[in-house]
Amino acid sequence: MLIYGKRKIRIKKYDDFHIQCENCSACKQRFSVYQAYYHLFFIPIYPASQKSIKTICLNCKDSFNEQKVLHYLAKTKTPFYLYTGLILFASLFISVIYSNINTQNKKQEYAENPKVNDVYLMNKKDEDDNSSYFFVKIKRISGDTVEVIHNAYEYSRFISKFDTADYFDKSERSLFLKSELKAYIHDRKITSIKRDYEKTSRFNVEK
Ligand SMILES: [Zn+2]
């Protein structure tokens, strides 16, 4: 269930001891400024445009209309925390983009300097434009040539690690040129490159 909507809170109060109450003649006037905001699960997302102000005499509780309401209304700024949701969304958005750029850079860097045991997640498309995914692992690098072994399974959707029974097949070998790896990055045939994965990873399993 999604709980969202508009709420109103008091963002500021001013006590003014210079204005006399028309009802009881006391000089204890309180100005309360309210701001409406949109919330999601009671977290303020962003403020609604309008502010409102109420005045009350602290002595007799009479409310009244006074010139100073405009003054107090104008000097009250919308508090920062009412933008919490907006700020959270923005920072999440920025961090996703940043980490994406970072991953892209790393991929580029790995493909330009391949190392033995690097694992590449490759994708290919059939005639109907359906993607499938497979892994290759670098076994040997000599000069410009990179020798890889293939994994046993083929995947129909993106995954980041092996299925529990998958492994690298030592008999399934093929050769790439280093320049081809770079071209594959450019053509987006390489989805991701894993280096320094954990000792317990199934990427270590070869048969
Ligand atoms: Zn009063």
Side-chain angles (χ1 to χ4, degrees):
M1 193 176 71
L2 200 62
I3 301 167
Y4 66 98
K6 203 171 170 182
R7 309 183 96 207
K8 199 187 231 184
I9 48 157
R10 184 169 73 184
I11 53 171
K12 199 92 184 177
K13 70 170 202 255
Y14 303 95
D15 289 338
D16 192 314
F17 302 107
H18 302 285
I19 307 161
Q20 208 170 36
C21 174
E22 292 163 349
N23 185 42
C24 72
S25 302
C27 290
K28 290 176 180 173
Q29 306 302 331
R30 173 165 291 174
F31 296 80
S32 299
V33 182
Y34 296 84
Q35 168 92 60
Y37 64 94
Y38 298 96
H39 74 88
L40 189 63
F41 297 107
F42 306 109
I43 298 164
I45 305 301
Y46 66 97
S49 57
Q50 77 277 24
K51 285 190 201 77
S52 56
I53 189 161
K54 274 187 187 146
T55 60
I56 192 169
C57 169
L58 292 174
N59 191 45
C60 72
K61 308 300 176 199
D62 193 23
S63 67
F64 65 106
N65 227 337
E66 217 280 336
Q67 274 296 314
K68 267 198 154 169
V69 293
L70 291 175
H71 165 75
Y72 284 123
L73 197 55
K75 76 180 262 184
T76 307
K77 291 197 176 73
T78 301
F80 207 51
Y81 65 82
L82 289 181
Y83 293 95
T84 304
L86 210 59
I87 292 161
L88 280 178
F89 288 141
S91 46
L92 191 69
F93 185 69
I94 289 165
S95 70
V96 165
I97 295 208
Y98 180 78
S99 97
N100 200 26
I101 290 171
N102 214 15
T103 308
Q104 288 297 326
N105 286 345
K106 207 161 230 179
K107 202 161 83 174
Q108 187 91 33
E109 187 191 311
Y110 285 174
E112 279 170 17
N113 306 287
K115 278 190 178 167
V116 170
N117 289 330
D118 281 357
V119 170
Y120 285 60
L121 175 59
M122 316 279 290
N123 67 77
K124 59 181 180 193
K125 285 192 164 157
D126 65 14
E127 314 85 65
D128 298 325
D129 218 32
N130 297 316
S131 291
S132 61
Y133 297 88
F134 63 97
F135 291 89
V136 298
K137 181 180 180 180
I138 297 179
K139 287 308 288 176
R140 212 161 54 87
I141 300 168
S142 70
D144 283 336
T145 313
V146 178
E147 189 180 351
V148 302
I149 51 175
H150 288 245
N151 74 310
Y153 289 17
E154 193 171 282
Y155 299 89
S156 61
R157 59 188 169 79
F158 170 78
I159 43 150
S160 60
K161 56 181 186 181
F162 273 179
D163 199 82
T164 47
D166 202 0
Y167 59 93
F168 280 109
D169 186 343
K170 282 192 273 193
S171 66
E172 282 259 3
R173 289 179 182 259
S174 50
L175 298 173
F176 290 111
L177 289 172
K178 281 182 176 174
S179 58
E180 282 181 299
L181 290 182
K182 276 190 263 182
Y184 287 162
I185 288 277
H186 184 261
D187 299 340
R188 297 177 182 275
K189 283 180 181 153
I190 296 170
T191 304
S192 67
I193 303 172
K194 306 266 189 219
R195 179 175 291 178
D196 301 326
Y197 38 86
E198 287 161 22
K199 289 265 181 290
T200 54
S201 168
R202 279 201 71 83
F203 289 151
N204 294 301
V205 182
E206 296 176 16
K207 288 180 188 176

